């Protein structure tokens, strides 16, 4: 019998996980069984993906940069990457603002629902506010200072320091380019091999993906709040989802226009990464798979993908910025505030910067939303309004974040003449088909 393709298996795992979660919610003690006996497998799965992130960045970026052989090529590619990332983010925020102003989801919230939501969730949102407050206290150049680690072992010991690891890897790669080839060759060969091992480890982890997503979704379902709340926030959620769908169309069009790759080819290539983004709500955890899909299934050469994707996972979050724009205006509407054009333009700037500053982990977008709200003079208490539906929206905006990174990597690759044909490695056969 022909084996099922990986993405179907993952999809099946997701659907069965949701069904199982609902079934268990109906039993006395079912929730606890899922939390104690199923959820840990989901956590193990996410941890194993995160485990790969730092070695993957180190290995592939050092190899990628040193393969460029020329520093001017690196700075050209770097400049292009950052510019396109900022462009797509501004588009995302603008789409979010346009939709939320046309649909006006905040006007459908009655005063009663608002008071109830704020009352129920104010406590839950406190940790986001605290985290945002500590980020706000720092000076204007803090982000730049944070880029340079004082100790690479220390930096590599925390996934949230991804940008610091990226900085080290690029710096190391530049060093490799600048020394004589007789000296750099053994180091490059080492990282070449190291990289292959990491990619193989990703393949092995992906074998467990269908089971991992089953566990993650079953746990999410038993822990989710009641359906009534979803109804109250229906228009808001729909506005965000509509915006996110427009972004996906935008990417598909960009890929077609700039690289000539057909929508089906693009979606088939990136689909497993999208499913994982949805299940894990973390672009950082998805990064290894995004990298593998883009390189082996969409034909982006590793020199480009190893550079563009880790940077994108940390700074390019179009889904997050779109959501922040919609959420900020939605909260203002629900509180009966009228936002001037100036304030809304301010939101474009802060949401763009906030999404750059958001970590690639679940819920990070909400922390930075606090800053967007403060900047626009919208009550922070409003965070409690959207809290109940944040997780499902987080899952969806992470899909967009990951797809955006893949899109930009393809466009940059094309412009550098480094977009070829897909080349699934022989030893991937067992996992792919
Ligand atoms: N979960 C998102 C990501 O990892 C960030 C966010 O919007 O909260 O891409």
């Amino acid at each position: 019998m022909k084996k099922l393709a990986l993405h179907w298996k993952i999809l099946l795992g997701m659907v069965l996980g949701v069904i199982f979660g609902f079934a268990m919610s109906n039993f006395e003690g079912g929730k606890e069984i899922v939390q104690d006996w199923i959820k840990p497998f989901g956590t193990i799965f996410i941890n194993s993906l995160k485990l790969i992130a730092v070695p993957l960045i180190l290995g592939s970026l050092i190899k990628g940069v040193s393969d460029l052989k020329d520093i001017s090529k690196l700075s050209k590619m770097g400049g292009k990457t950052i510019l396109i990332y900022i462009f797509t983010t501004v588009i995302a925020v603008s789409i979010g603002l346009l939709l939320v102003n046309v649909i006006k989801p905040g006007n459908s919230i009655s005063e009663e629902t608002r008071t109830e939501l704020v009352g129920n969730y104010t406590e839950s949102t406190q940790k986001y506010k605290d985290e945002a407050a500590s980020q706000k206290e720092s000076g204007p150049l803090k982000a730049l200072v944070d880029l340079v680690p004082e100790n690479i072992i220390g930096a590599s010991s925390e996934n949230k320091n991804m940008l610091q690891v990226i900085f080290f890897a690029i710096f190391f790669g530049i060093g490799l380019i600048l020394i004589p080839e007789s000296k750099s060759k053994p180091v490059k060969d080492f990282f070449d091999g190291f990289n292959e091992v990491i990619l193989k480890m990703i393949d092995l982890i992906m074998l467990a993906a269908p089971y991992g997503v089953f566990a993650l979704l079953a746990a999410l379902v038993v822990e989710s709040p009641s359906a009534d709340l979803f109804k109250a926030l229906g228009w808001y959620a729909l506005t965000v989802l509509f915006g996110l769908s427009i972004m996906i169309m935008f990417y598909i069009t960009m890929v077609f226009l700039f690289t000539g790759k057909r929508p089906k080819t693009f979606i088939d290539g990136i689909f497993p990464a999208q499913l994982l983004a949805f299940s894990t709500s973390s672009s950082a955890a998805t990064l290894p798979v995004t990298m593998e899909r883009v390189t082996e299934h969409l034909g982006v050469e590793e020199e480009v993908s190893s550079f563009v994707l880790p940077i994108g996972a940390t700074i390019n979050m179009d889904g997050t910025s779109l959501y922040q724009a919609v959420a900020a205006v939605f909260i203002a509407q629900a509180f009966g505030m009228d936002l001037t054009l100036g304030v809304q333009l301010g939101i474009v700037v802060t949401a763009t910067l906030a999404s750059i500053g958001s970590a690639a982990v679940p819920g990070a977008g909400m922390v930075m939303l606090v800053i967007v709200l403060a900047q626009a003079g919208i009550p922070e208490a409003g965070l409690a309004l959207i809290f109940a539906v944040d997780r499902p929206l987080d899952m969806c905006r992470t899909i967009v974040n990951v797809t955006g990174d893949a899109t930009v990597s393809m466009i940059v690759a094309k412009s550098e003449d480094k977009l070829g044909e897909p080349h699934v490695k022989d030893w991937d056969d067992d996992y792919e088909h």
Side-chain angles (χ1 to χ4, degrees), residues 143-384:
L144 211 58
V145 174
D146 279 350
L147 201 62
V148 186
E150 57 180 53
N151 181 320
I152 185 56
I153 310 283
S156 321
S157 68
E158 280 237 35
N159 278 350
K160 71 172 186 346
N161 297 335
M162 207 104 94
L163 276 181
Q164 300 189 338
V165 178
I166 292 176
F167 174 84
F168 176 81
I170 295 178
F171 201 7
F172 191 96
I174 293 177
L176 261 185
I177 296 179
L178 295 176
I179 61 174
E181 207 179 325
S182 60
K183 298 270 190 255
S184 64
K185 180 144 190 329
V187 184
K188 278 184 67 178
D189 286 348
F190 168 78
F191 278 107
D192 253 354
F194 183 83
N195 215 17
E196 289 291 318
V197 177
I198 299 291
L199 290 177
K200 185 69 204 170
M201 287 169 76
I202 299 171
D203 287 348
L204 295 176
I205 296 170
M206 286 304 280
L207 291 177
Y211 309 99
V213 297
F214 172 89
L216 287 171
L217 288 186
L220 262 180
V221 170
V222 296
E223 289 171 353
S224 67
S226 81
D228 291 351
L229 279 175
F230 285 101
K231 271 187 227 140
L233 294 170
W235 278 111
Y236 157 69
L238 281 179
T239 311
V240 175
L241 292 178
F242 187 37
L244 295 178
S245 321
I246 296 181
M247 278 314 283
I248 297 281
M249 304 301 242
F250 169 71
Y251 296 139
I252 292 178
T253 316
M254 295 261 287
V255 166
F256 184 64
L257 289 181
F258 286 94
T259 73
K261 296 251 186 212
R262 293 181 177 284
K264 181 169 182 326
T265 316
F266 177 52
I267 294 297
D268 277 356
I270 198 66
F271 198 41
Q274 291 178 321
L275 293 178
L276 272 196
F278 181 80
S279 309
T280 62
S281 262
S282 165
S283 337
T286 313
L287 177 64
V289 180
T290 318
M291 197 101 130
E292 201 238 8
R293 299 302 300 186
V294 163
T295 317
E296 291 181 14
H297 296 259
L298 291 171
V300 176
E301 285 186 19
E302 222 177 306
E303 284 157 58
V304 176
S305 62
S306 66
F307 180 78
V308 178
L309 290 176
I311 295 180
T314 37
I315 69 165
N316 182 51
M317 299 197 182
D318 301 342
T320 302
S321 60
L322 184 145
Y323 139 86
Q324 284 168 339
V326 175
V329 179
F330 166 76
I331 293 171
Q333 289 168 349
F335 279 91
M337 291 170 68
D338 234 350
L339 299 181
T340 60
L341 186 66
V343 173
Q344 301 225 17
L345 287 178
I347 293 179
V348 175
V349 178
T350 44
T352 303
L353 294 176
S355 73
I356 293 177
S358 302
V361 295
M366 201 155 189
V367 174
M368 296 312 266
L369 176 61
V370 179
I371 294 175
V372 178
L373 292 180
Q375 205 74 30
I378 301 166
E380 275 176 18
L383 221 52

Side-chain angles (χ1 to χ4, degrees), residues 49-97:
L49 281 169
K50 289 188 189 157
L51 171 73
I52 294 291
V54 169
L56 175 74
I57 292 178
L58 274 178
S60 65
L61 205 50
I62 290 175
K63 177 182 179 306
V65 171
S66 60
D67 278 349
L68 284 176
K69 294 191 185 76
D70 182 351
I71 295 178
S72 67
K73 262 200 224 157
L74 178 70
S75 55
K76 206 175 109 217
M77 192 159 85
K80 214 183 301 180
T81 304
I82 306 275
L83 273 184
I84 308 180
Y85 275 151
I86 294 179
F87 168 73
T88 57
T89 307
V90 172
I91 295 279
V93 183
S94 311
I95 292 177
L97 281 180

